[in-house]
Amino acid sequence: MKLPNIKILDEKHKILHQKSKDVSFPVSEEYRKLAYDTLTYLKMSQDEVIADKYDLRAGMGMAFVQMGVPIRMFVIANEKDEKNTFDEYIIINPKIISQSEEMVYIGEGEGCLSVNREVEGIVPRHARITLEYYDFEGNKKTMRTREDLAVAFQHEIDHLDGILFVDKIDKKNPYKDQDKM
């Protein structure tokens, strides 16, 4: 498998702090190819041997804006098991339509392929969300996610709104309310 040529913008880039525009249908071949290339890149980044070979940081999801394309689209490659099989998600124009009251955070801390530094603190996220989104053909879909996958979806949706996970960490008290989650 050949590593796709994916250029990931650093957190300092202004475009990452702007709201992305809705995708119009039909989705272009260029965007379809970028979605599949990005899924391949993410899967390769989660393989330790390949990640070492190409000096990749492991990533589970990526919003198109992180690659300089400010549209409301992201992909997630969620490893299902130890056999390198993945659930793949291509999400277009998502909207969270419901969310749990229960809040969670990633114990080892959230990360981001656009944030190339260690970040201390927790990011409060809803434990479960239901979202509406569209597929490549413009068909409306509904999906309910929970736990790690719900966190990943919220992280990527934040990117579409110009928000990075570091923006959600309380600057004065990075572990604020940790005991409530």
Side-chain angles (χ1 to χ4, degrees):
M1 193 180 327
K2 184 174 180 273
L3 181 69
N5 185 19
I6 300 289
K7 172 93 171 87
I8 303 168
L9 300 178
D10 183 75
E11 68 181 299
K12 294 176 189 79
H13 203 286
K14 282 185 191 155
I15 201 170
L16 291 176
H17 303 281
Q18 298 168 3
K19 191 169 175 118
S20 294
K21 302 214 178 322
D22 278 347
V23 176
S24 52
F25 296 94
V27 175
S28 72
E29 283 305 314
E30 173 190 4
Y31 292 161
R32 289 173 188 248
K33 181 180 181 330
L34 185 55
Y36 289 118
D37 284 352
T38 305
L39 284 168
T40 299
Y41 179 94
L42 292 170
K43 290 188 287 187
M44 292 176 79
S45 80
Q46 292 178 57
D47 180 306
E48 285 184 36
V49 173
I50 294 172
D52 280 347
K53 178 179 177 181
Y54 293 107
D55 193 28
L56 304 176
R57 288 177 40 230
M60 180 177 174
M62 182 129 45
F64 274 40
V65 68
Q66 291 178 267
M67 299 174 285
V69 182
I71 60 171
R72 297 189 73 77
M73 192 166 164
F74 66 84
V75 301
I76 288 180
N78 185 30
E79 193 167 16
K80 286 196 296 194
D81 53 40
E82 300 302 315
K83 298 181 190 108
N84 272 3
T85 59
F86 292 84
D87 285 325
E88 298 177 2
Y89 303 91
I90 298 172
I91 306 295
I92 302 170
N93 297 339
K95 284 190 177 88
I96 295 175
I97 56 173
S98 71
Q99 55 204 17
S100 65
E101 287 186 28
E102 180 187 1
M103 302 297 284
V104 295
Y105 64 91
I106 301 294
E108 59 274 6
E110 269 186 49
C112 179
L113 293 172
S114 291
V115 177
N116 297 303
R117 60 187 170 98
E118 288 293 317
V119 178
E120 290 287 319
I122 61 171
V123 181
R125 301 283 188 189
H126 297 279
R128 293 169 302 288
I129 61 168
T130 301
L131 72 149
E132 283 182 350
Y133 68 98
Y134 295 86
D135 65 15
F136 279 141
E137 311 325 315
N139 299 310
K140 186 186 269 191
K141 307 276 190 174
T142 303
M143 180 190 318
R144 186 161 172 76
T145 65
R146 51 195 286 264
E147 298 166 353
D148 290 353
L149 195 56
V151 168
F153 274 72
Q154 291 168 82
H155 177 109
E156 299 308 329
I157 289 169
D158 279 349
H159 273 301
L160 305 182
D161 292 328
I163 300 165
L164 297 176
F165 83 95
V166 295
D167 301 332
K168 294 192 154 225
I169 297 172
D170 187 301
K171 306 287 182 262
K172 292 188 174 84
N173 182 1
Y175 295 94
K176 181 180 178 182
D177 296 332
Q178 181 178 21
D179 55 331
K180 296 177 185 171
M181 293 179 234

